[in-house]
């Protein structure tokens, strides 16, 4: 039976559907520089600040806690902080500022780092960024459509702004995130720098930041083994900057965002091969990267220009281990193509296992293999699927095996069916879903990748804007403890309508859709994720060295500390266990170099 007689086909005007290919420049929906944060909706806004003395107050505080904007700080002033890191590592500290009156033009600067015997690290290895508050909500039931008024909302400190000065509000706190990028060639030892707080050029306080640089050297992010897979969303960048999709300006605007991803050790390029794979469940539809054209004689032609430029763009930034193309099983089973003769777009429902599915996908898959081979990308490319039923995946894989067996397969599983596809190159299992440890070890031996992923359905660990900051670091340790190869998070930059003000979305807990902000601005979640990935790399190096040196008791002690983190369930001691493991990692780092 022919394709046209067995499927639903609807022809739409090019201007109606194909706008996904020709998105025009639009005015950004919000101000990204001089903006005012949303009003605090919590009872903290009624806190009594009358007992606070005049002036700008400051103290070092833990990086494991988020500080409410309107609540009077209840803490003992801490005038110094010490961080420990390897050469080549990025480490963090946090200062909290608060004042009863407004304080204009506040700056936080870090001096040169001075060590013993004339050793020095320039001040340009450090940064002090004001943390901005975004509106968040709560986990509640997790996944599902939600109305903002039905969920408890609050302001959460998350975005690290790039402003050089900040006007402090009266009766409010303001965190400042300190970052030190230790040079790979830094002289090991102890260093000190002054953290100067000024208001309108007048010094209000001076704190001391100590950095202990260990002799160990952390490899470059491109050499890290942790398999980080955070899905990219180019359309979101075009929309928030008001740029034409796939224009030169669009690619230029994506650079700072995607460079942050490369700096975190990202391994995977997220690509799309037809209609939005997730049926526009995000604020911005995913734009096509490969255009399908059906000629008048029934033959097919595929335009890879955007796909090729996107992949090369990401590779040039250093992300080149894997290309995952979504999806042969889109969430609504729809694909579309351009009928060249009629100059119309045809939308088709083609379910795996049907004649229509095979008729449409066979010529494309064969052509895709040829194109990837010509580019030298075939060996690193996977046809990717996300949370599909076993029947759908069975139908898709059956066709792939038949017509394009050289293509790899990547599969995100929340259907408890990953064991049905044991040879898939890249499998990710939803956090808190059952898996076999033996399967993970077997896949690792065969050179196959197995990660876990966090999503709207798991409360811990996660990266919502209300999640504890240390949860982002915890995930690297959990991967190590459970023998996963890394972490998948479904969106790196799938921004909501106004991400710098309000992280809530029509579905899922707030912040689930992104962990970085427009203009390449970082977040507490990003910095702590990077910390966890760095820790994972350091653990591999330390464990290997302990084994080679015959320090078996130290290795056993280390493994025991790591196994305390082998849980995707929140406990009362998870954060203290994390910090104990980190402290032991630093102690053993010293031991393997002594």
């Amino acid at each position: 039976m022919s394709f046209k007689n067995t499927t639903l086909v609807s022809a739409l005007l090019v201007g109606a559907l194909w706008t996904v290919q020709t998105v025009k420049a639009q005015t950004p929906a919000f101000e990204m520089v001089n903006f005012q944060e949303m009003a605090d909706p919590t009872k903290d806004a009624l806190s009594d600040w009358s007992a606070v003395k005049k002036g700008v107050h400051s103290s070092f505080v833990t990086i494991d806690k988020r500080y409410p904007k309107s609540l009077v700080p209840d803490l003992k002033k801490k005038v110094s902080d010490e961080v420990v890191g390897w050469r080549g590592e990025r480490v963090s500290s946090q200062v909290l500022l608060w004042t009863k009156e407004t304080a204009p033009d506040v700056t936080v600067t870090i001096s040169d780092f001075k060590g013993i015997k004339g050793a020095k690290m320039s001040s340009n290895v450090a940064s002090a960024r004001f943390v901005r508050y975004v509106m968040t909500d709560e986990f509640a039931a997790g996944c599902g459509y939600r109305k903002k008024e039905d969920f408890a909302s609050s302001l959460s400190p998350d975005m690290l702004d790039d402003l050089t000065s900040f006007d402090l509000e009266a009766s409010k706190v303001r965190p400042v995130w300190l970052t030190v990028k230790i040079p790979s060639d830094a002289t090991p030892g102890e260093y000190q720098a002054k953290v100067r707080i000024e208001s309108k050029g007048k010094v209000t306080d001076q704190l001391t930041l100590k950095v202990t640089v260990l002799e160990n050297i952390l490899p470059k992010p491109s050499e890290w083994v942790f398999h980080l897979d955070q899905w990219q969303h180019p359309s979101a960048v075009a929309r928030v900057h008001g740029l034409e999709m796939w224009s030169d300006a669009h690619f230029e605007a994506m650079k700072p965002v995607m460079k942050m991803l490369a700096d975190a050790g990202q391994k995977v390029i997220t690509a799309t091969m037809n209609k939005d794979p997730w049926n526009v469940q995000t604020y911005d539809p995913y734009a096509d990267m490969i255009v399908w054209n059906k000629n008048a004689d029934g033959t097919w032609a595929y335009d890879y220009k955007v796909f090729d430029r996107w992949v090369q763009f990401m590779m040039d930034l250093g992300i080149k281990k894997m290309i995952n193309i979504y999806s042969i099983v889109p969430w609504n089973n729809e694909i579309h193509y351009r009928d060249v003769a009629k100059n119309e777009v045809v939308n088709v429902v083609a379910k795996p296992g049907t004649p229509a599915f095979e008729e449409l996908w066979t010529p494309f898959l064969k052509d895709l293999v040829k194109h990837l081979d010509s580019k030298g990308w075939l060996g690193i490319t996977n046809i990717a699927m996300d949370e599909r039923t076993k029947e759908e995946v069975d139908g898709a894989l059956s066709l792939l095996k038949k017509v394009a067996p050289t293509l790899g397969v990547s599969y995100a599983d929340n259907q408890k069916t990953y064991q049905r596809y044991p040879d898939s190159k890249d499998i990710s299992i939803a956090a808190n879903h059952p898996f076999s440890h033996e399967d993970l070890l077997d896949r690792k031996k065969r050179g196959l990748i197995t990660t876990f992923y966090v999503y709207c359905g798991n409360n811990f660990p996660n990266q919502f804007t209300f999640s504890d900051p240390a949860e982002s670091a915890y995930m690297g340790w959990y991967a190590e403890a459970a023998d996963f190869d890394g972490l998948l998070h479904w969106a790196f930059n799938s921004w909501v309508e106004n991400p710098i003000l309000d992280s809530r979305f029509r579905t899922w807990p707030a912040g689930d859709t992104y962990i970085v902000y427009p203009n390449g601005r970082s977040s507490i979640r990003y910095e702590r994720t990077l910390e966890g990935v760095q820790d994972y790399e350091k653990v591999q190096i330390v464990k290997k060295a302990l084994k080679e040196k015959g320090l078996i008791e130290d290795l056993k002690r280390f493994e025991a500390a790591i196994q305390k983190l082998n849980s995707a369930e929140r406990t009362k001691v998870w954060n203290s266990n994390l910090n104990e493991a980190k402290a032991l990692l630093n102690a053993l780092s010293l031991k393997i170099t002594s």
Side-chain angles (χ1 to χ4, degrees), residues 348-556:
V348 183
V349 174
K351 296 181 179 180
T354 65
F357 184 84
E358 183 168 347
E359 186 173 343
L360 279 166
W361 283 102
T362 295
F364 171 73
L365 290 171
K366 290 182 176 179
D367 193 79
L368 178 64
V369 168
K370 292 179 181 178
H371 181 76
L372 292 169
D373 192 38
S374 71
K375 301 291 292 186
W377 300 338
L378 180 58
I380 62 170
T381 300
N382 298 317
I383 298 298
M385 292 162 279
D386 175 36
E387 296 183 341
R388 300 295 80 209
T389 66
K390 64 181 181 180
E391 292 79 14
E392 290 172 318
V393 178
D394 283 348
L397 293 186
S398 176
L399 181 63
L400 276 171
K401 186 175 181 180
K402 177 182 175 182
V403 304
T406 53
L407 281 169
V409 171
S410 178
Y411 178 52
D413 173 39
N414 71 343
Q415 303 286 332
K416 306 177 184 178
T417 58
Y418 77 93
Q419 290 177 322
R420 295 169 62 85
Y421 321 111
D423 296 322
S424 298
K425 285 187 178 180
D426 178 28
I427 284 179
S428 193
I429 302 169
N432 293 318
H433 278 239
F435 64 90
S436 164
H437 183 236
E438 289 71 25
D439 289 342
L440 267 59
L441 296 179
D442 173 67
R443 287 180 55 81
K444 196 182 292 282
K445 287 180 181 178
R446 293 190 288 136
L448 304 175
I449 298 296
T450 316
T451 64
F452 75 98
Y453 70 93
V454 295
Y455 68 118
C456 59
N458 69 285
N459 190 9
F460 176 88
N462 217 309
Q463 296 182 297
F464 306 121
T465 40
F466 54 79
S467 297
D468 290 330
E471 290 183 44
S472 290
Y474 181 93
M475 290 190 284
W477 287 86
Y478 171 65
E480 167 63 20
D483 278 318
F484 285 108
D485 297 303
L487 163 72
L488 181 152
H489 184 216
W490 81 272
F492 183 64
N493 69 304
S494 189
W495 293 318
V496 294
E497 182 177 10
N498 193 340
I500 64 175
L501 289 184
D502 192 346
S503 65
R504 296 171 297 179
F505 191 50
R506 62 177 180 257
T507 50
W508 320 305
D512 190 39
T513 68
Y514 63 100
I515 67 165
V516 293
Y517 291 82
N519 284 345
R521 285 179 287 199
S522 185
S523 71
I524 290 176
R525 293 174 294 155
Y526 170 88
E527 298 295 330
R528 298 305 305 268
T529 299
L530 174 57
E531 175 189 318
V533 175
Q534 290 180 147
D535 286 346
Y536 183 95
E537 299 303 314
K538 292 160 63 178
V539 167
Q540 311 313 308
I541 295 170
V542 168
K543 285 173 59 175
K544 181 181 178 181
L546 291 174
K547 188 174 181 180
E548 291 175 347
K549 288 178 173 288
L551 301 174
I552 305 304
E553 290 304 314
D554 285 323
L555 181 58
K556 289 180 179 179

Side-chain angles (χ1 to χ4, degrees), residues 269-289:
I269 301 169
T270 308
T272 54
M273 57 186 170
N274 196 269
K275 196 175 182 180
D276 188 321
W278 296 280
N279 194 26
V280 199
Q281 65 168 341
T282 51
Y283 187 84
D284 301 289
Y286 275 79
D288 300 32
M289 291 185 179

Side-chain angles (χ1 to χ4, degrees), residues 43 114 168:
K43 64 180 181 180
K114 296 180 180 179
L168 298 187

Side-chain angles (χ1 to χ4, degrees), residues 82-88 113 121 180 182-191 210-216 590:
E82 181 178 2
V83 293
V84 181
W86 289 20
R87 292 187 286 174
F113 291 82
M121 293 192 298
V180 180
I182 303 173
S184 296
D185 59 355
T187 302
E190 296 180 358
Y191 294 81
K210 302 175 182 178
V211 178
T212 298
V213 178
L214 303 182
E215 186 176 339
N216 319 74
L590 279 169

